[in-house]
Amino acid sequence: MVKLKTDQAIDEMRAPGRVVAHALAAVREAARVGTSLQELDEAAHAVLREAGATSPFLGYRPQFAPVPFPAVLCVSVNDAIVHGVPGPYRLRDGDLVSADFGAKLNGWVGDAAVSFTVGRARPADLRLIETAEAALAAGVAAAVPGNRIGDIAHAVGTLCRAAGYGIPDGFGGHGIGRSMHEDPGVPNEGPPGRGMKLRPGMVLAIEPMVIAGGTDDYRCDEDGWTLRTVDGSRAAHAEHTVAITADGPRILTAL
């Protein structure tokens, strides 16, 4: 069931959204050649603590997961698409990093993701990241009253496919509010004009994921969380929490 938010609730959701934005900025600032993924998790955790917020990621265990998620930050490097578990790996020159973070504050949740490179960037990686960001912007632009979920999916998918990239099968965005995952699901590909009609008060996490090799397939690491491309090609991820309002989409996780 979709839970519509009042204007006041949407205003209140801006607070965890700011925490998310600041945490992702801190992660990006801390990401240098030689920095461990655990250190990136610590940088994000410090922002949570300072804000008095909690993590919807830490201890989260959906049905597919063999163990609860052990960190506050999902950090996926190079061929890892999403749900990467922070560990001792130290960043190397040219790595592509996707960081996904959530915060809960005053009963509301924010969720966003960014991708970036460390050190000397490969031009192909920059194009991949730019496509993910452009697809996110297209999805946000389609998030207006009267459109349908399929219009968001079509906007995202069309841009990704035109660039020749794959889209991980079965993964996409979601409603968000008091819980990190609420109805409705927001696919990253699909026909326009289909699905649930968008109404003011809906709040969605829109999150394109793109695979450079063009395949939609993925595999899961032994940790039960990290999803990787099957062909070893790189992946990028971009996400914002977006409120649908009568005045147009409102991004709640921007700085």
Side-chain angles (χ1 to χ4, degrees):
M1 181 178 70
V2 174
K3 301 174 183 177
L4 297 179
K5 282 73 177 177
T6 64
D7 290 344
Q8 179 180 344
I10 291 172
D11 286 342
E12 291 172 356
M13 288 187 71
R14 183 71 177 107
R18 285 193 186 96
V19 176
V20 170
H22 284 295
L24 289 174
V27 167
R28 192 164 189 164
E29 178 64 26
R32 298 286 185 270
V33 174
T35 302
S36 74
L37 302 189
Q38 288 171 331
E39 289 169 335
L40 297 184
D41 184 67
E42 290 163 5
H45 211 156
V47 175
L48 271 186
R49 286 191 294 266
E50 183 176 351
T54 58
S55 172
F57 288 17
L58 182 63
Y60 180 61
R61 187 180 182 183
Q63 289 184 344
F64 69 80
V67 295
F69 194 75
V72 301
L73 178 73
C74 293
V75 57
S76 308
V77 180
N78 296 334
D79 64 329
I81 305 166
V82 70
H83 299 163
V85 177
Y89 177 84
R90 293 191 176 276
L91 294 172
R92 301 170 183 171
D93 188 37
D95 277 349
L96 192 166
V97 180
S98 295
D100 188 358
F101 185 78
K104 188 168 188 177
L105 185 63
N106 300 325
W108 296 106
V109 179
D111 185 12
V114 294
S115 292
F116 54 88
T117 58
V118 175
R120 292 168 293 183
R122 300 180 183 184
D125 289 346
L126 295 179
R127 288 194 298 272
L128 188 68
I129 293 168
E130 287 168 3
T131 299
E133 292 173 345
L136 174 58
V140 170
V144 296
N147 270 1
R148 294 183 178 273
I149 290 291
D151 294 310
I152 297 176
H154 181 71
V156 170
T158 297
L159 218 153
C160 297
R161 294 298 188 190
Y165 297 139
I167 300 170
D169 188 36
F171 281 84
H174 49 88
I176 186 170
R178 295 288 187 186
S179 300
M180 181 167 56
H181 293 128
E182 297 183 353
D183 291 334
V186 186
N188 281 331
E189 189 172 33
R194 303 286 295 274
M196 181 178 294
K197 183 172 286 189
L198 304 179
R199 293 178 286 168
M202 294 174 71
V203 182
L204 308 174
I206 301 172
E207 51 178 324
M209 304 166 201
V210 287
I211 297 174
T215 178
D216 298 351
D217 298 328
Y218 56 86
R219 61 180 180 82
C220 188
D221 277 2
E222 291 182 1
D223 62 22
W225 280 99
T226 307
L227 301 184
R228 296 188 184 275
T229 63
V230 295
D231 60 1
S233 66
R234 295 188 169 197
H237 180 197
E239 178 183 16
H240 270 309
T241 295
V242 182
I244 295 170
T245 78
D247 297 323
R250 180 182 176 189
I251 298 175
L252 302 179
T253 44
L255 278 173

